[in-house]
Each structure stands twice: as structure tokens, then as C-alpha cells.
Amino acid sequence: MAAVANSTPTGLIGIGLMGMACAKRLRGAGLEVLGYDVDPKKSVALTAIGGEAAPSIADIAARCAQVVLAVFNTEQVEQTIDALAKARPAGKPPLIAVCVSTCDPDKISALVARTPAEKVRYVEAPVSGTSQQTETGDALGMIGGDPAAAQEAKAVLDAICPRRHHLGAAGNGGRAKLAINLILGVNRAALAEGLVFAQTLGLDPGAFLKVARESAAQSQVMDIKGPKMVSGDFTPHGFITQTRKDFLLMLEQAKARGQGLPLAETYVSIVNGCVAAGEGERDNAIVIEEIRRRKPQ
């Protein structure tokens, strides 16, 4: 691990799977991390890698120049930004908030418009990739918002997402992330169904996956989720509940614009089956189990 470069910590709010992946990237880049989560137990993992637990969001607002948000949904992002703006001490430069959460892009645009720029500058930075891919530096960042703020947060962005694209105004990063997640989720379901079908036909799923990886159907999903589906190891790198939240947001966004998403609707029904079976906190590769449960009508 690189030596700590300066004494001003980078804040982190949300210490779940993605939050911890970000924390490891930040620490690996030599940055101190001051983290907060509503569940104090999650701070244990942060302190184990040399981070510091913050007692409150206000403490982060007072001590940090930049903060990474890795919370669950749009509402939590709104609440956190409002709390940071309220707690940012007068006379200090604005806090730069880098948000890696997948959010409602329209609400993010509105949030940025109403947040006092002298208190908080918002950098939209959702990432495409699992928490494991983020931890290894393989996730892709989709940046939206003020380019000057993104440049000021370059050290943080370099640590979390070395590969990234700036897509313009705040909201555009989230729009791109939702569209990419739609493709990703449908690919995940297609792989799961193909594996179930191959096994139903009498093929060994592990051997079939090797062949599929060399076929015209090859996708990154086969490398990331295929082994989990074959082995039945559903240790989470991305929760089913998170996937469900994202897909419901996709459908909501599309409906508001008069567009149907038939494959997204089908995927939501599969994910809902997983949630109903008590699999909401398992890895999203577990969609294969719901497909196995489906029988002809």
C-alpha cells in the first residue's frame, strides 16, 4: 500500500460493498479515508484497512475537502447532500462530493441545481462494474457535472475509476449507467437461461461455459458471472435488491418518455422471483436459480 500523501482525509459515506471497494482503492492510492455509515458495524472493515470511522456526516463536512458517496438510492443521496451542505462550515471552500451511486438522473439534475455551490460541488460518477471489478480498478466511470470540479477531484477519480468518460451535464452519467445496466442485466439473464437450457439438454454446464466463452455469444458476463452460476457461489459482489432498484428506475424513466422496455420488464419479473424466494441479499448471478424454478405453463 502506498504511503499516505496528505493529512486531509477523503470522506466516504456508505460503507457497503461498493463503499468498501472505493475505500480500498483510495487507501491504495495513498489517501486517508474518513468513513461514515448509518450502521456502525460497517466501520469495522474500514478501520481494518487503515481508515478512520467518522461519528457523523457533519464530521466529514467539517474535516474533508472531498467526499465519496456510495449510498443505496437517490433519496439517500439527496438527504446526504443536503446534510453536507448544511454542515459545511462557513468560510471553507466548497466540499466536492463524488457520487458513485446509481440514481434517478432527473432528480440528480434538480439536486445539483438547488445545492448551494459555495457549500457543495457535485460530481456524478456512477461506475459500470461489480464491487470486485471496482476494487481491482477495472470499473468504468461515467462522469457528469462541472468539469472543473471533476478535475479538482482527479486524485479521487483516478483511484476509483482509472477508466472514465465525461458525459456532460449532471444526470447524463446516471442516464448512461442505467442504459448500460439494462444491457448488462439482460445479458446476465440470457447467460443464466442458456446454462439452464444446456444442462436440461444433458450438457455439463461448466464444460458448456468454456465453449460459450469461445463462441459468437461471448460476453464479459460469462467471465464475471458464469463461474458463479456454475459453482453456485452467490457470495455478493452486487445484490439482487440493488439490481431490482436499478431496473425499476429504468422502467420509470422509460415510461415517463413513452418508451416500453419489454426485456427489462421480463428481467424485473425474474428478479422479483429471487426476492420472493428470500434471495435479495445474494449476488445477482442467482437469477439462474429463478430461471431453474420456472416451469412450462
Side-chain angles (χ1 to χ4, degrees), residues 228-285:
K228 295 180 78 65
M229 291 180 182
V230 169
S231 68
D233 174 13
F234 301 119
T235 303
H237 295 148
F239 294 115
I240 277 287
T241 50
Q242 187 82 42
T243 298
R244 183 176 183 273
K245 182 266 294 184
D246 291 352
F247 266 78
L248 290 176
L249 183 52
M250 292 171 202
L251 293 177
E252 179 183 300
Q253 289 282 307
K255 183 178 180 180
R257 292 161 174 79
Q259 177 63 54
L261 300 177
L263 295 180
E265 291 173 358
T266 298
Y267 191 72
V268 167
S269 76
I270 294 169
V271 170
N272 283 342
C274 292
V275 172
E279 298 161 346
E281 299 305 308
R282 309 297 297 280
D283 188 85
N284 47 34

Side-chain angles (χ1 to χ4, degrees), residues 92-104:
K92 279 204 167 192
L95 182 68
I96 296 181
V98 177
C99 183
V100 300
S101 304
T102 303
C103 299
D104 180 320

Side-chain angles (χ1 to χ4, degrees), residues 5 35 48 50 52 55 63 71 83 96 137 147 150 158 173 185 190 209 211 263 269 271 296:
E52 179 186 353
R63 294 176 56 190
V71 296
I96 296 181
D158 282 348
L209 178 62
V211 174
L263 295 180
S269 76
V271 170

Side-chain angles (χ1 to χ4, degrees), residues 13 29 49 54 64 81 102 106 116 135 198 230 244 282:
I13 299 175
I49 63 166
C64 300
I81 290 294
T102 303
D106 299 332
E135 185 176 332
V230 169
R244 183 176 183 273
R282 309 297 297 280

Side-chain angles (χ1 to χ4, degrees), residues 41-275:
K41 294 178 182 177
K42 291 185 177 179
S43 297
V44 175
L46 178 63
T47 56
I49 63 166
E52 179 186 353
S56 66
I57 289 176
D59 189 49
I60 288 176
R63 294 176 56 190
C64 300
Q66 301 176 1
V67 56
V68 175
L69 273 58
V71 296
F72 180 69
N73 59 22
T74 308
E75 290 69 29
Q76 290 179 5
V77 169
E78 291 172 320
Q79 292 165 6
T80 302
I81 290 294
D82 288 344
L84 287 169
K86 183 178 180 181
R88 186 65 172 170
K92 279 204 167 192
L95 182 68
I96 296 181
V98 177
C99 183
V100 300
S101 304
T102 303
C103 299
D104 180 320
D106 299 332
K107 290 183 178 179
I108 291 303
S109 297
L111 174 65
V112 171
R114 68 174 171 77
T115 299
E118 72 275 11
K119 291 287 189 177
V120 177
R121 296 165 70 196
Y122 189 94
V123 177
E124 182 187 32
V127 296
S128 176
T130 64
S131 58
Q132 185 179 49
Q133 287 174 294
T134 300
E135 185 176 332
T136 56
D138 294 323
L140 177 69
M142 282 153 284
I143 314 303
D146 180 7
Q151 179 60 30
E152 198 167 334
K154 184 177 184 299
V156 170
L157 293 172
D158 282 348
I160 295 173
C161 46
R163 297 185 303 125
R164 58 186 181 272
H165 294 281
H166 195 290
L167 298 167
N172 283 354
R175 293 180 182 103
K177 172 67 185 293
L178 289 175
I180 288 171
N181 272 14
L182 194 159
I183 298 169
L184 184 61
V186 170
N187 280 346
R188 192 183 301 127
L191 172 61
E193 187 162 303
L195 287 169
V196 169
F197 183 48
Q199 189 169 19
T200 300
L201 294 175
L203 298 175
D204 175 82
F208 171 74
L209 178 62
K210 291 180 181 179
V211 174
R213 279 172 159 168
E214 297 184 30
S215 76
Q218 191 278 334
S219 70
Q220 189 185 73
V221 171
M222 292 182 180
D223 299 329
I224 303 300
K225 297 298 181 180
K228 295 180 78 65
M229 291 180 182
V230 169
S231 68
D233 174 13
F234 301 119
T235 303
H237 295 148
F239 294 115
I240 277 287
T241 50
Q242 187 82 42
T243 298
R244 183 176 183 273
K245 182 266 294 184
D246 291 352
F247 266 78
L248 290 176
L249 183 52
M250 292 171 202
L251 293 177
E252 179 183 300
Q253 289 282 307
K255 183 178 180 180
R257 292 161 174 79
Q259 177 63 54
L261 300 177
L263 295 180
E265 291 173 358
T266 298
Y267 191 72
V268 167
S269 76
I270 294 169
V271 170
N272 283 342
C274 292
V275 172

